[in-house]
Structure formats: structure tokens, C-alpha cells
């Protein structure tokens, strides 16, 4: 008999992972949320550092901010998240606008303002959002593009904590975040407004997670609805946006970050959830059914049209409907692909639809990321009684990468990230041209675009009151009443393209590789068929001779047309991974997805391979 204690089981050796020395953090705009202190990469030594490359127009970036909140709180003494603000639009390169966005979206970690994309280029980032994980010794150990990676990053963080605790290279303690001083205003970054039958205004006070009722003067507070804290209860909202009246007098509220529709009764004050589960919709989830059983994704605006509530579902680039009579939701238009494609509703592409306005047989849409004004055309009956179905038409705008401030003929007019649209009595449409700080007007009768007003600060919505139009000046935290002028303001025309350097590639065959490494403890979920998806297209379409379309492999040989010197490759990838535990019959599964728009320029002897990292590090 052996009385000796059994030898302890040795701890498993840490996984070997690729490591690349992290470049320095550089940003001409400086640091926010640090109490005025300038930081360098060395200041984060001993901590797990997560760089979040984001821009405040991007709905996917806002989703990631919410995904990271729990991780940020749970590992507060070992993890530091740094937002690297990397602008797409010209307005987003303004430092004051970045300061506003950090407060508007409740960013509670340091932010580096990088208006020239210096750090973006240093880290070879190709998409918003991108997360880069740096270990306590200053090495890049993982990169993730898109949404759905919080679970994988948390697993990696736990591994890094254990590994560097054992090595003595982990340093615990408070991070460098310093909260800015709060500012007292009645509204704080209001989103949308509605004129109530009483003559009062109802405003979504987005940053304070409330609805605010104002007197007809647009200034005096009558009451507040909601606790003022982020939540999903009868007393709480989370960054509410759009508002519309139902025929029965209730108000439908787009409770954006709760991924839900709520109703508010101005008479009783009651708040009720009528659509959504509080969870974000992912690919493969139901797209129709009982409203309280179907996930939604960042509903940004709502409008009563054609006997239903239409929903600008910004998070998935679609329009949905909710029918109060049947209690059902359904997709009405859009494929979830991001871009500007007109045609039958089921085949159209949108890019963060953010404003809606009903007017007769048209539902006007502010399609923010394409800087476009579009509309849904209701089915038109032919003489024989047949109907052609809903169709999507673009009135102003040309795509994801061109924007600016140009009036005149609609075919060449430019907007910059509009968030609101309002139907006017004469049949024209007012557009809250948010990033141009202007109110624009489109007249379908003449096909002309004009500018009635400028010097508005991030206008996000407008409502008609008699002969006046009341504009939500979101970044001035107020409603502003204007008399629509007879004459337009003269504005010097400017045009911009998204400021990202084109990737030089060789004409002919280009190997596209979407890099995806399943997180530790997970494997690709193939129980019900392929667990990956790849969709490729181009602007202009002539850029691709071969290789466009859908497939299930995360790699593809593209054939580039040598007669087209430059363009944009649009790539959408998805991968589903599940916990690798044979003992668990129902393992937890996770969806990773991202859309890329990659500007390319054809050049002889340039690259013949284009790697896009969805998760992991590119080994080649």
C-alpha cells in the first residue's frame, strides 16, 4: 500500500500563438477620456489592451461598443479598451464631433482621435469595426473584424490573464479612464421628435435614455418618461430614437439599443414592449413571426404607412413592418447586404436606413451610409387589376463612398450622412443633412435639390408645425424653429470620397482569403450544413470579370478586369462556431460577421492576394 499523495496534475501549457510587436498609437486629434493626459503604448504595458477601431456613423461599431460593455466591467483591473476613432466622413474628422460622439454613445474608456487614419494604417485595418488584442508585453495576438466576437475575446483575455500572471508580466489596477464633467441641459443629443395631438412635442432624449415631452414653445419640459438609466424595463429605454403615432393615439418608440419597439400612451403614461426580445438579430434568425418572439436589430426610425408601422432597421440594412392588428413583424425590403441597389423590395440593398416619412404612395427614406434620399413606391394597380409590388427608388445619392454638399439636379447632387426626412405639404421633401449641418430640400416635380438652411448642428429630424419646421439640432441639444424660406441659401459645392487609401492589386487573378480561426474551445458548426458564407460584388460591376456571387468557402479566385483601373470590392463574410464539448448536446453557438468595402487600384506587378481578417491573424 502506497500512502504517498498522488503527484499533482501539471497545468496545461499555454497555447502557442502568433505574436507581432504592436505599433505605436498615433492620432493628430489627441486623447479623450484621460483627463487631458497623452498616452503611449508603453503606458498599457502589463495590461491586456484591446484597440477598437471605430467611427461614429457606423452601426456595427455601435453594436460592438455594446458588446464590449460587459467585458470591460468584468475585467476592469486587467483590461484596457482604447477606442481608435478612424473617420469615414469628413465631418467625423472634426475633433468637436468626436468629443460629442464619445458622450452621445456612452463611451467609458480612453479614445484616440485619429483623423488622418495614421494608427489605422499602422495596424493594416481594412474595416469598421476592427478589434485588435495586444498582450501585456506589447504584442498583437489577435485581430477581429465585425461583430459577434466578444465571447472569443473574453476567452482570450482569460488565457492571457493566466499566462501573464504566471510569468509575472500582468499588472492589475485602475485604468487610465477619466470621466468628463457632466453638462446640464434639458435635452442631451436628442434623436427624433413628434408633434402630439395636444400641440406638445415628444422628443427621444437618446443619450439620457428617456422620452421628454415639451410644451409648444419647444423648450419647457412638461414631463420625462423613463428612469434615465440604460435598461429594458417598463421604466427604462436604451438610446431611443424614432417616434410615430398610431391611429389609436399611442406612440411607437424605436428603442434602438434594446432592439425593440415600445409603445407609450400619452394619456396614461404606460410603456409597453410590442416587438423584439431585447436581443440583437443575427443571420439565420427568424425574419417574421409573432413580434415579441422575433429579434430585431437597432431599429432607428418608425413611420405609420399603408396600415402598418414601417421600421428603418439600421442594424441589418433593411426595412421591416409591424402590424398592430396581427401582432406580427416581417421583413419588407432589403437583403441585409450593405449598399445602394434599387429595384423590387426583396432585392434592394440599403445602408443604415435612419429616417422615414410617409407621403401618399411613397415612404421616404434617409439612407445614411450611402448619403442618399430614397423611397418605397407602393404597388400600383394595372388596368387589369394586377399589382407590381413594392419597389425601391433612389432620388439623390450614388453609393457608399461619395458624399458632399452639392445642390442642383438630383442626378449629381450630394448629401453627407442624412438621418432625417420630412414630407412637406407641396409634395417636396426636407432632408436633415446631418453631417453637412444643413436642411436640404428635394422637389420631385423639378428633380432639383436646394438648401433652405445651414448652420444647424447635426440635425437629425424635423417636424412641421403650421408654416414652420421644427428641427432637432442633436449636437446643440435643442429644437430649433425655422420658417421655410422662399429662396435657398447659396452654398459652395463640395464633393468628397471616403478617405481610405486604395489597395494596389494586379489585374487578372486575385486570390481573396477571408481569414477565420475558430476561437479556443470552439469549432465550426457544420451540423446543419456549411457554417461559412461569402458574398462578393464590385463597384463598378465591370471590375469583376469572374468571382462575384455567393458561396460557402471563405476563399475565392477573383478575375479583375484590366480595362477598369480602379473600383471597390464588396465582401460580406459570416462564420458560425460552437463550443467544442462532446458532452454537451446543445453547445452554445456564435456568429461572426463583417462587410468590407475595399477600394482597389489595378497596377502591374502588384499584389495577387487580398487577405481580410475576420478572426485571428493572417499567417501568410
Amino acid at each position: 500500500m502506497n500512502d504517498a499523495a498522488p503527484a499533482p496534475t501539471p497545468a496545461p501549457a499555454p497555447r502557442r500563438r502568433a505574436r507581432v510587436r504592436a505599433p505605436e498609437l498615433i492620432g493628430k486629434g489627441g486623447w479623450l477620456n484621460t483627463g487631458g493626459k497623452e498616452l503611449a503604448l508603453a503606458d498599457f504595458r502589463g495590461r491586456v489592451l484591446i484597440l477598437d477601431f471605430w467611427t461614429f456613423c457606423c452601426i456595427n461599431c455601435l453594436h460592438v461598443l455594446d458588446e464590449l460593455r460587459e467585458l470591460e466591467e468584468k475585467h476592469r483591473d486587467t483590461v484596457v479598451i482604447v477606442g481608435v476613432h478612424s473617420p469615414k466622413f469628413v465631418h467625423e474628422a472634426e475633433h468637436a464631433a468626436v468629443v460629442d460622439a464619445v458622450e452621445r454613445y456612452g463611451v467609458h474608456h480612453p479614445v484616440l482621435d485619429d483623423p488622418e487614419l495614421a494608427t489605422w494604417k499602422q495596424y493594416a485595418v481594412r474595416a469598421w469595426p476592427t478589434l485588435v488584442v495586444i498582450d501585456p508585453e506589447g504584442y498583437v495576438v489577435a485581430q477581429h473584424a465585425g461583430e459577434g466576437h466578444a465571447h472569443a475575446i473574453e476567452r482570450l483575455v482569460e488565457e492571457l490573464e493566466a499566462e501573464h500572471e504566471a510569468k509575472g508580466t500582468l499588472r492589475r489596477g485602475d485604468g487610465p479612464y477619466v470621466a468628463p464633467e457632466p453638462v446640464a441641459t434639458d435635452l442631451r443629443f436628442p434623436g427624433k421628435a413628434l408633434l402630439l395631438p395636444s400641440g406638445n412635442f415628444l422628443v427621444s432624449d437618446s443619450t439620457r435614455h428617456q422620452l421628454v415631452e415639451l410644451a409648444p414653445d419647444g423648450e419647457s419640459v412638461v414631463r420625462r418618461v423613463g428612469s434615465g438609466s440604460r435598461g429594458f424595463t417598463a421604466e427604462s429605454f436604451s438610446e431611443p430614437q424614432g417616434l410615430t403615432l398610431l391611429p389609436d393615439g399611442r406612440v411607437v418608440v424605436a428603442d434602438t439599443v434594446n432592439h425593440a419597439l415600445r409603445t407609450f400612451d400619452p394619456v396614461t403614461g404606460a410603456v409597453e414592449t410590442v416587438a423584439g426580445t431585447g436581443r440583437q438579430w443575427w443571420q439565420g434568425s427568424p425574419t417574421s413571426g409573432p413580434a415579441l418572439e422575433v429579434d430585431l436589430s437597432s431599429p432607428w426610425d418608425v413611420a405609420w404607412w399603408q396600415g402598418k408601422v414601417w421600421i428603418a432597421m439600421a442594424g441589418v440594412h433593411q426595412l421591416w413592418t409591424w402590424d398592430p392588428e396581427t401582432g406580427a413583424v416581417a421583413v419588407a425590403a432589403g437583403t441585409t447586404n450593405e449598399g445602394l441597389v434599387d429595384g423590387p423590395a426583396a432585392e434592394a440593398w440599403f445602408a443604415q436606413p435612419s429616417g422615414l416619412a410617409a407621403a401618399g404612395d411613397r415612404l421616404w427614406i434617409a439612407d445614411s451610409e450611402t448619403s442618399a434620399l430614397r423611397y418605397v413606391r407602393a404597388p400600383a394597380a394595372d388596368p387589369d387589376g394586377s399589382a407590381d409590388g413594392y419597389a425601391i427608388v433612389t432620388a439623390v445619392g450614388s453609393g457608399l463612398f461619395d458624399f458632399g454638399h452639392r445642390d442642383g439636379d438630383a442626378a449629381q447632387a450630394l448629401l453627407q450622412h442624412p438621418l432625417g426626412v420630412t414630407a412637406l405639404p407641396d409634395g417636396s421633401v426636407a432632408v436633415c443633412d446631418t453631417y453637412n449641418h444643413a436642411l436640404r430640400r428635394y422637389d420631385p416635380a423639378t428633380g432639383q435639390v436646394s438648401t433652405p438652411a445651414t448652420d444647424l448642428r447635426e440635425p437629425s429630424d424635423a417636424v412641421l408645425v403650421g408654416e414652420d419646421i421644427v428641427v432637432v439640432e442633436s449636437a446643440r441639444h435643442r429644437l430649433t424653429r425655422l420658417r421655410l424660406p422662399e429662396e435657398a441659401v447659396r452654398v459652395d459645392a463640395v464633393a468628397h470620397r471616403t478617405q481610405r487609401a486604395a489597395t494596389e492589386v494586379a489585374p487578372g487573378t486575385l486570390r481573396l482569403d477571408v481569414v477565420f480561426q475558430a476561437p479556443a474551445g470552439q469549432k465550426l458548426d457544420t451540423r446543419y450544413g456549411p457554417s461559412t458564407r461569402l458574398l462578393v460584388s464590385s463597384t463598378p460591376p465591370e471590375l469583376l470579370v469572374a468571382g462575384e456571387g455567393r458561396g460557402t468557402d471563405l476563399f475565392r479566385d477573383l478575375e479583375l478586369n484590366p480595362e477598369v483601373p480602379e473600383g471597390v470590392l464588396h465582401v460580406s463574410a459570416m462564420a458560425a462556431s460552437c463550443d467544442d464539448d462532446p458532452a454537451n448536446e446543445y453547445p452554445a453557438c456564435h456568429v461572426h460577421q463583417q462587410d468590407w468595402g475595399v477600394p482597389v487600384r489595378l497596377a502591374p506587378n502588384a499584389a495577387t492576394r487580398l487577405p481580410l481578417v475576420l478572426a485571428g491573424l493572417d499567417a501568410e
Side-chain angles (χ1 to χ4, degrees):
M1 183 176 180
N2 187 350
D3 295 329
T9 302
R15 285 190 307 137
R16 292 184 61 83
R17 59 174 66 87
R19 300 201 311 169
V20 178
R21 176 63 72 178
E24 189 53 82
L25 305 178
I26 305 166
K28 189 175 181 180
W31 289 86
L32 305 176
N33 284 354
T34 63
K37 182 179 179 181
E38 296 291 310
L39 300 175
L41 196 63
D43 294 313
F44 304 102
R45 193 62 55 86
R47 313 295 289 273
V48 179
L49 176 61
I50 301 172
L51 302 181
D52 176 14
F53 289 86
W54 71 298
T55 189
F56 62 78
C57 71
C58 162
I59 191 67
N60 311 89
C61 299
L62 304 186
H63 289 168
V64 166
L65 282 175
D66 291 310
E67 286 180 10
L68 294 176
R69 292 187 201 279
E70 185 177 344
L71 173 72
E72 191 170 21
E73 182 59 35
K74 184 176 178 181
H75 298 271
R76 184 166 295 280
D77 67 334
T78 58
V79 171
V80 176
I81 297 174
V82 167
V84 182
H85 190 266
S86 312
K88 172 185 174 181
F89 290 99
V90 168
H91 170 59
E92 293 172 320
E94 298 174 14
H95 183 71
V98 180
V99 173
D100 284 347
V102 167
E103 180 188 351
R104 181 194 299 268
Y105 296 116
V107 181
H108 294 160
H109 49 247
V111 173
L112 175 63
D113 181 11
D114 183 18
E116 297 176 346
L117 302 181
T119 297
W120 167 287
K121 295 170 186 173
Q122 286 276 79
Y123 282 81
V125 174
R126 294 186 185 273
W128 297 278
T130 292
L131 299 169
V132 175
V133 182
I134 300 172
D135 73 13
E137 294 179 290
Y139 288 89
V140 174
V141 293
Q143 181 171 323
H144 302 264
E147 303 178 50
H149 302 294
H151 65 282
I153 291 176
E154 178 161 20
R155 178 71 178 264
L156 176 57
V157 164
E158 290 169 351
E159 289 184 3
L160 291 171
E161 287 174 341
E163 177 183 339
H164 289 273
E165 188 93 79
K167 290 175 66 175
T169 50
L170 185 71
R171 176 171 56 87
R172 296 179 181 270
D174 293 334
Y177 170 68
V178 178
E181 289 293 322
V183 181
T185 53
D186 286 332
L187 301 174
R188 204 69 192 161
F189 298 105
K192 305 287 185 181
L194 177 69
L195 184 64
L196 295 170
S198 65
N200 288 350
F201 295 96
L202 189 66
V203 182
S204 55
D205 198 20
S206 302
T207 297
R208 293 210 177 110
H209 315 296
Q210 291 181 317
L211 307 180
V212 178
E213 186 174 345
L214 301 176
D217 63 8
E219 298 179 4
S220 306
V221 174
V222 175
R223 62 174 160 173
R224 296 181 180 275
V225 182
S227 65
S229 297
R230 188 189 300 273
F232 189 35
T233 69
E235 293 78 32
S236 301
F237 300 92
S238 188
E239 298 181 28
Q241 288 283 342
L243 307 165
T244 194
L245 270 174
L246 291 174
D248 65 11
R250 290 180 298 162
V251 177
V252 179
V253 182
D255 196 3
T256 304
V257 177
N258 278 328
H259 309 294
L261 297 188
R262 323 288 291 280
T263 56
F264 165 65
D265 189 330
V267 176
T268 67
V271 174
E272 180 185 358
T273 301
V274 294
T277 63
R279 298 183 300 270
Q280 183 184 338
W281 186 93
W282 290 98
Q283 290 286 351
S285 300
T287 55
S288 64
L292 292 171
E293 299 174 14
V294 177
D295 299 339
L296 307 182
S297 183
S298 298
W300 206 275
D301 203 6
V302 282
W304 178 256
W305 187 59
Q306 301 268 306
K308 296 180 181 178
V309 172
W310 287 66
I311 309 164
M313 202 73 79
V316 286
H317 318 300
Q318 290 180 312
L319 303 181
W320 288 41
T321 59
W322 170 61
D323 187 336
E325 286 196 15
T326 64
V329 292
V331 173
T335 64
T336 75
N337 296 319
E338 185 178 16
L340 193 152
V341 176
D342 288 343
E347 301 172 14
W349 292 21
F350 298 95
Q352 289 178 217
S354 301
L356 299 175
D361 65 350
R362 293 183 179 183
L363 178 69
W364 293 97
I365 308 159
D367 200 30
S368 62
E369 280 292 283
T370 55
S371 297
L373 172 65
R374 308 172 74 183
Y375 62 90
V376 185
R377 187 183 64 218
D382 294 328
D384 63 4
S386 62
D388 60 359
Y390 291 103
I392 308 303
V393 181
T394 297
V396 182
S398 59
L400 286 164
F401 300 98
D402 293 286
F403 57 93
H405 193 143
R406 183 191 288 151
D407 288 329
D409 186 73
Q412 54 83 54
L414 293 172
L415 310 170
Q416 186 181 178
H417 198 80
L419 291 178
V421 60
T422 306
L424 300 178
D426 64 358
S428 65
V429 184
V431 180
C432 287
D433 194 7
T434 309
Y435 288 2
N436 280 327
H437 311 299
L439 189 69
R440 311 289 293 282
R441 188 176 196 163
Y442 167 67
D443 186 347
T446 63
Q448 295 293 300
V449 176
S450 58
T451 301
T454 58
D455 193 30
L456 300 166
R457 189 69 183 169
E458 293 193 16
S460 56
D461 197 20
V463 294
L464 287 174
V465 183
E467 296 183 355
D468 295 341
I469 188 166
V470 176
V471 179
V472 179
E473 278 198 274
S474 189
R476 283 199 175 112
H477 321 292
R478 70 186 188 190
L479 303 188
T480 298
R481 187 180 295 262
L482 303 172
R483 178 61 56 93
L484 281 172
E486 295 289 333
E487 299 294 327
V489 177
R490 178 175 175 79
V491 177
D492 291 334
V494 293
H496 303 288
R497 297 214 79 201
T498 300
Q499 297 301 301
R500 279 189 292 165
T503 299
E504 290 200 343
V505 294
T509 301
L510 176 68
R511 174 72 168 196
L512 171 66
D513 281 326
V514 174
V515 178
F516 178 76
Q517 298 160 3
Q522 295 181 27
K523 64 179 181 180
L524 288 174
D525 177 21
T526 57
R527 292 171 298 166
Y528 308 108
S531 61
T532 55
R533 185 192 70 178
L534 182 65
L535 174 66
V536 180
S537 62
S538 67
T539 303
E542 296 76 20
L543 174 64
L544 277 176
V545 176
E548 68 175 343
R550 295 179 181 273
T552 57
D553 293 325
L554 291 181
F555 57 88
R556 191 176 300 176
D557 285 335
L558 310 179
E559 193 72 22
L560 302 182
N561 187 349
E563 302 301 318
V564 180
E566 61 182 12
V568 178
L569 292 174
H570 304 283
V571 180
S572 177
M574 184 274 289
S577 62
C578 293
D579 294 343
D580 188 7
D581 182 1
N584 187 352
E585 186 178 357
Y586 304 104
C589 295
H590 314 275
V591 176
H592 318 255
Q593 62 184 39
Q594 174 61 13
D595 295 333
W596 291 267
V598 184
V600 295
R601 181 182 302 113
L602 273 57
N605 304 317
T608 58
R609 176 176 178 265
L610 176 62
L612 300 175
V613 177
L614 180 60
L617 291 175
D618 183 26
E620 295 190 31

